[in-house]
Amino acid sequence: MNLLLITHAYPPILNSCASQMKDLANFFSSQGHSVSVLTPSSTINKNYSIDCNDGIEIIRIRVPDHKGGNYLRRFLAEFLMPFMMLSKFKKTPSFNKEFQGIVWY
């Protein structure tokens, strides 16, 4: 079964959400499922980056920094992030996969 995990935090970010999503992805992978993780990143230079770690496909989508600055900039970045992620995800090779399950955190 192809599964897609959509999360705002995934390692190397160090917080409880990233740790839980990593554990969930590893669990699904250990059960024999094909797991892809879609997560935003403000540190990559391209529109997207695809890596494989322990059989888990990690798709990082470039978005503006949404973790600081003034409140208006943060609001706009967080408000527009889902739309930007979707439009850039459509340009990845993984978009053409058929996912049987989606987990959105």
Side-chain angles (χ1 to χ4, degrees):
M1 181 183 291
N2 287 334
L3 298 175
L4 177 65
L5 302 180
I6 303 173
T7 181
H8 70 279
Y10 198 78
I13 296 172
L14 298 174
N15 63 24
S16 62
C17 173
S19 176
Q20 291 174 358
M21 290 296 108
K22 174 78 172 159
D23 291 343
L24 184 63
N26 285 336
F27 174 76
F28 284 140
S29 182
S30 72
Q31 298 296 313
H33 301 292
S34 173
V35 180
S36 298
V37 177
L38 181 64
T39 186
S41 175
S42 60
T43 60
I44 61 174
N45 296 328
K46 304 180 282 186
N47 278 338
Y48 64 88
S49 163
I50 300 177
D51 301 319
C52 269
N53 249 351
D54 302 325
I56 299 169
E57 179 184 48
I58 304 164
I59 308 159
R60 298 187 191 280
I61 304 290
R62 189 175 104 217
V63 297
D65 186 24
H66 60 281
K67 296 289 185 194
N70 63 35
Y71 290 118
L72 179 61
R73 181 180 171 172
R74 183 174 178 180
F75 165 76
L76 288 173
E78 287 192 21
F79 180 77
L80 295 173
M81 184 175 14
F83 304 106
M84 294 172 65
M85 286 182 63
L86 179 60
S87 69
K88 291 178 182 179
F89 179 56
K90 286 180 178 180
K91 298 174 184 173
T92 68
S94 301
F95 180 73
N96 294 324
K97 281 186 183 177
E98 187 173 314
F99 295 103
Q100 285 76 35
I102 298 174
V103 177
W104 188 316
Y105 178 83

